[in-house]
Amino acid sequence: MCVSMKKLLVILGMITCMIGLAACGQEESPSGPISEEQAIQIGTTIVEQMNTIVSQGAIEQYVDQPALYNGFLGWESSLADIGTYEGTSGGSVSFEEDEVAISVEVLGSSHNATVEIILDNALATYIGITTNVHYSTGEIMAKAGMNTVIGMGTVFAVLILISLIISCFTFISKFEAKQKKDEPAPAKAAPVVEQPAVVEELSDDTELVAVIAAAVAAYEGAASTDGFVVRSIRKSNKSKWQNA
């Protein structure tokens, strides 16, 4: 039998069950569209069909129906803790203004669970399916302790990592200081010695000054040297050939 035919049979079976249960009472329940017994029977049928679909690996054909698809995925992941499905043991119903919440107690070889099925008030549309596994107090405490240990371990690991990073800064600064110490010192520039200005004294060259003044006066055709003043006498660096 192909997968589409199985899907059609499952849907037809659910609809037939719901119509048959709703037709059992001539009057509508005062608290909801059907009685609590009928709602629990519908929820039990849905759980059994859901287990069949998951066991056959036909979940992917309900991808276009998010409520059913997510419900089947939740049931599939919960089976690891539930173990083998061993049936149901009653349940409860809550009628709201726009929806009907059906809780079905599931029996398993390892753990029991509660499957909560939420339908619209007309019992025609799935709003959500959730599976809650029942764990013992010891298991709950163990999981809580494990989560605490993992959380604290993560925090301490991060703190240790931060401490190591901070400690590395000390080694980096020491390494940089050593590198600067090993670098050769720049050569110092030789100090510039200022040469004292040479002040030429003319006190010892009186005769030479007089001769030079007389020569300049004779060159200019002056009768005396009164208009000439020789302030300094410098030695020429030019050679004789250059002066020629």
Side-chain angles (χ1 to χ4, degrees):
M1 186 181 294
C2 63
V3 176
S4 60
M5 183 62 68
K6 291 180 180 179
K7 177 181 178 181
L8 179 61
L9 290 176
V10 170
I11 296 175
L12 289 177
M14 294 176 63
I15 295 174
T16 303
C17 180
M18 292 170 60
I19 294 175
L21 291 173
C24 290
Q26 297 296 328
E27 296 181 358
E28 191 179 73
S29 174
S31 59
I34 57 176
S35 66
E36 292 187 7
E37 291 78 9
Q38 292 172 335
I40 293 173
Q41 183 60 43
I42 291 175
T44 300
T45 303
I46 293 174
V47 170
E48 292 177 351
Q49 293 176 347
M50 180 173 63
N51 183 65
T52 301
I53 293 172
V54 172
S55 301
Q56 293 176 350
I59 300 177
E60 296 301 325
Q61 60 183 320
Y62 296 94
V63 175
D64 56 344
Q65 303 178 52
L68 280 175
Y69 183 72
N70 293 329
F72 292 164
L73 289 178
W75 174 260
E76 184 180 37
S77 62
S78 298
L79 285 176
D81 294 328
I82 294 173
T84 304
Y85 171 70
E86 296 181 350
T88 61
S89 61
S92 60
V93 183
S94 175
F95 296 102
E96 303 294 339
E97 182 179 355
D98 298 327
E99 63 185 29
V100 178
I102 306 172
S103 296
V104 180
E105 301 299 326
V106 176
L107 301 177
S109 59
S110 299
H111 296 86
N112 296 334
T114 299
V115 178
E116 184 175 2
I117 305 165
I118 302 178
L119 306 170
D120 65 345
N121 204 28
L123 303 177
T125 304
Y126 289 93
I127 299 176
I129 300 177
T130 306
T131 303
N132 299 313
V133 181
H134 298 167
Y135 298 102
S136 63
T137 304
E139 290 173 331
I140 295 174
M141 294 299 293
K143 286 188 176 183
M146 183 61 65
N147 292 334
T148 302
V149 171
I150 292 175
M152 293 179 64
T154 303
V155 172
F156 279 112
V158 173
L159 291 176
I160 292 173
L161 180 61
I162 294 175
S163 300
L164 292 176
I165 294 175
I166 294 175
S167 63
C168 288
F169 291 149
T170 304
F171 294 104
I172 293 174
S173 61
K174 290 182 178 179
F175 178 77
E176 291 179 350
K178 183 178 179 181
Q179 291 293 325
K180 291 181 179 180
K181 184 177 180 180
D182 294 341
E183 290 179 358
K188 294 183 179 180
V192 178
V193 180
E194 296 183 358
Q195 298 293 336
V198 178
V199 180
E200 298 185 9
E201 297 291 339
L202 299 179
S203 58
D204 298 336
D205 298 326
T206 304
E207 296 180 357
L208 179 60
V209 170
V211 172
I212 293 174
V216 172
Y219 177 78
E220 294 291 336
S224 65
T225 61
D226 295 337
F228 302 97
V229 177
V230 179
R231 300 185 180 277
S232 64
I233 300 173
R234 295 185 220 174
K235 183 180 180 181
S236 176
N237 294 325
K238 294 182 181 181
S239 62
K240 296 180 179 181
W241 294 102
Q242 290 176 334
N243 292 332

